[in-house]
Amino acid sequence: MKKNLLLVGAADSIGVPYTKDNFDHKVFFEMIECTLANKYNVISINCFHMSTNNDNKYIDSFISNDISLLEIKNTQNKMLKKCKYSGIYPYLELPKNFLNHYQINKDDARVIVKDYIQKNETIFIYSAFVNDLLKSKGLSLFKLLRPGKIKKELKKINVNSILYDIEKNIEKLININPNIEIYIIGLFVPTKISYIRKNVREFISSINDKFYTISEKYHNVFLINNDNLAIEDFNNIDFHPNRKGHKKIYNNFIKQYEKNKSC
């Protein structure tokens, strides 16, 4: 009989299946789920979120309170529908059945995320930073990345405050379940737009170095290095990976996961 394994993913919208080439609506999170299912009975809680609730504060809310999977899905679907009328859709490569991704099941109200983390062998996929960065200055992604303004705007960001919130959440997760495995999704150079790629590369590298420093402090925290994502792993101006990009993130996770198991 297979042992139970809880797989939790949060928070940035990188975990949402944006691009049209994701015809089966699978991104790196679902790919990881399928692989782990070969060995475990995987209980999957997808907390990835588009728009408002996709930051460190959002993660803190469901690891500090008795929040159910139903509440999370209701918020996810509400935000997805809101985004439909926000004007952002033309900038994304959305699959036809995008809004049907987060289906609500009859048992979701009984799934309290914090309790499940506490009671199960758990892998937590932690993807956060970009939305915290934007909210800290009240910026949109497109305003932050204006030509000729990127490096100047990035220097204004209180990076240490964001990293503090990430580490605080990591410590809370470890307190809930000391045996948890936490995988921080490393940042990558996004989009096909060359001036953006050129101007954010150094900043992203410095953040990943800080992620690595955090991971080195805890025996059960690991950084997923996504430096290998390239220009062909994005569609048009979209900042989210296409299917090929998600496959690379999946492979990067599996590489680190298997390394951990071999030690």
Side-chain angles (χ1 to χ4, degrees), residues 167-207:
E167 190 165 2
K168 183 174 65 175
N169 281 341
I170 285 173
E171 290 176 349
K172 285 186 179 181
L173 285 164
I174 293 172
N175 284 333
I176 294 169
N177 183 346
N179 297 315
I180 193 172
E181 291 183 18
I182 302 170
Y183 291 82
I184 302 173
I185 299 296
L187 302 186
F188 46 79
V189 179
T191 189
K192 284 182 176 291
I193 303 174
S194 58
Y195 85 85
I196 293 178
R197 295 181 63 83
K198 177 182 177 181
N199 283 280
V200 302
R201 191 178 300 277
E202 184 178 342
F203 177 79
I204 286 173
S205 178
S206 70
I207 298 304

Side-chain angles (χ1 to χ4, degrees), residues 9-45:
D12 277 350
S13 51
I14 183 180
V16 180
Y18 281 112
T19 59
K20 288 179 180 177
D21 59 320
N22 267 313
F23 51 88
D24 57 358
H25 289 191
K26 285 186 178 179
V27 292
F28 72 89
F29 185 77
E30 285 78 21
M31 296 175 192
I32 292 170
E33 181 182 12
C34 288
T35 296
L36 294 176
N38 292 325
K39 184 177 179 182
Y40 299 96
N41 174 34
V42 178
I43 304 163
S44 182
I45 299 181

Side-chain angles (χ1 to χ4, degrees), residues 104-153:
I104 293 174
N105 300 313
K106 60 183 178 64
D107 295 327
D108 289 343
R110 295 198 294 267
V111 178
I112 305 301
V113 179
K114 184 177 71 174
D115 289 350
Y116 267 61
I117 292 172
Q118 184 179 45
K119 296 174 182 177
N120 290 279
E121 182 174 338
T122 302
I123 289 177
F124 194 100
I125 310 293
Y126 200 133
S127 173
F129 185 84
V130 175
N131 291 293
D132 294 271
L133 180 152
L134 295 173
K135 289 179 182 182
S136 70
K137 289 296 180 181
L139 294 170
S140 68
L141 195 58
F142 290 99
K143 187 175 180 180
L144 174 68
L145 301 177
R146 290 174 296 175
K149 302 286 186 179
I150 300 176
K151 290 187 176 181
K152 182 179 178 181
E153 293 292 350

